[in-house]
Amino acid sequence: TQLLEQSPQFLSIQEGENLTVYCNSSSVFSSLQWYRQEPGEGPVLLVTVVTGGEVKKLKRLTFQFGDARKDSSLHITAAQPGDTGLYLCAGVSSGTYKYIFGTGTRLKVLA
Amino acid sequence: GAGVSQSPSNKVTEKGKDVELRCDPISGHTALYWYRQSLGQGLEFLIYFQGNSAPDKSGLPSDRFSAERTGGSVSTLTIQRTQQEDSAVYLCASSLGFGPSGYEQYFGPGTRLTVT
């Protein structure tokens, strides 16, 4: 069974601080996605990473896919209250192509 | 354009009753997924449909759960003889296709199911 563990589970920080969220597995994934979910809504895609070692930047967010395609990280620089939400990683399972979601990281950024 | 819609948005049912949850995907999306999310947790895969292929039902937790997709569009998730542990938010998503590079999944707002 493929599992994706995220850490930390909860994170409460002050506006302007930096943070990193980790997504780890013992399984290899074809690709990996990061989503953000706000209360009462479905998750919204932030990024897809495909190649081992790939790094993608979206404004203040930096995403990295591990060389072995088993893990990923999300780094936020100078966090803002608008970054508050539940962050979910999702690995695309090799062969079946279904999505295995991580356990989630709930981020709260205080003004 | 219209996004993914789900109905009802909330459902309260008594233990032992059957429930049907509906999902209308984005037009033209060939892949459709059902997930379950317990309070503030990650998403648990239930089932997915891809075009005319046989659905991947590997995530259905018991034989009380079933799903169908009619005409490659609307999908219904049915839970028979509901139990209290079935209480959760049920999310539906659709995507243009599926493959190793991953396609963007567009999620509906979910159906919050409460079994009393």
Side-chain angles (χ1 to χ4, degrees), chain B residues 89-112:
Chain B
V89 175
Y90 289 81
L91 289 162
C92 173
S94 70
S95 64
L96 274 172
F98 77 108
S101 300
Y103 281 76
E104 178 170 2
Q105 294 183 84
Y106 294 81
F107 283 84
T111 293
R112 181 175 297 279

Side-chain angles (χ1 to χ4, degrees), chain A residues 30-31 33 35 37 40 42-43 45 48 50 86 88 92 96-99 101-103 106, chain B residues 33 35 37 40-43 45 48 56 58 98-105 107-109:
Chain A
S30 298
S31 58
Q33 299 180 328
Y35 289 80
Q37 184 180 23
L45 180 69
T48 300
V50 179
L86 178 67
L88 296 159
V92 177
T96 63
Y97 306 138
K98 68 186 181 189
Y99 297 78
F101 275 82
T103 47
R106 185 164 297 282
Chain B
Y33 307 80
Y35 297 94
Q37 185 175 33
Q41 302 298 309
L43 276 63
F45 166 79
Y48 93 89
D56 182 332
S58 60
F98 77 108
S101 300
Y103 281 76
E104 178 170 2
Q105 294 183 84
F107 283 84

Side-chain angles (χ1 to χ4, degrees), chain A residues 1-4 24-29 68-71:
Chain A
T1 303
Q2 292 180 299
L3 296 172
L4 272 170
N24 295 295
S25 177
S26 58
S27 302
V28 175
F29 292 97
R69 305 205 317 275
K70 294 182 179 181
D71 54 82

Side-chain angles (χ1 to χ4, degrees), chain A residues 18-96:
Chain A
N18 302 333
L19 67 115
T20 302
V21 177
Y22 299 93
C23 175
N24 295 295
S25 177
S26 58
S27 302
V28 175
F29 292 97
S30 298
S31 58
L32 193 134
Q33 299 180 328
W34 284 91
Y35 289 80
R36 189 175 90 184
Q37 184 180 23
E38 300 195 16
E41 300 180 6
V44 175
L45 180 69
L46 297 173
V47 77
T48 300
V49 284
V50 179
T51 306
E54 182 177 2
V55 176
K56 278 192 175 178
K57 292 189 176 183
L58 297 175
K59 297 183 180 179
R60 295 177 294 101
L61 277 60
T62 301
F63 305 86
Q64 184 166 9
F65 200 12
D67 291 341
R69 305 205 317 275
K70 294 182 179 181
D71 54 82
S72 181
S73 64
L74 157 60
H75 182 79
I76 301 179
T77 303
Q80 300 176 358
D83 296 327
T84 293
L86 178 67
Y87 288 81
L88 296 159
C89 61
V92 177
S93 178
S94 302
T96 63

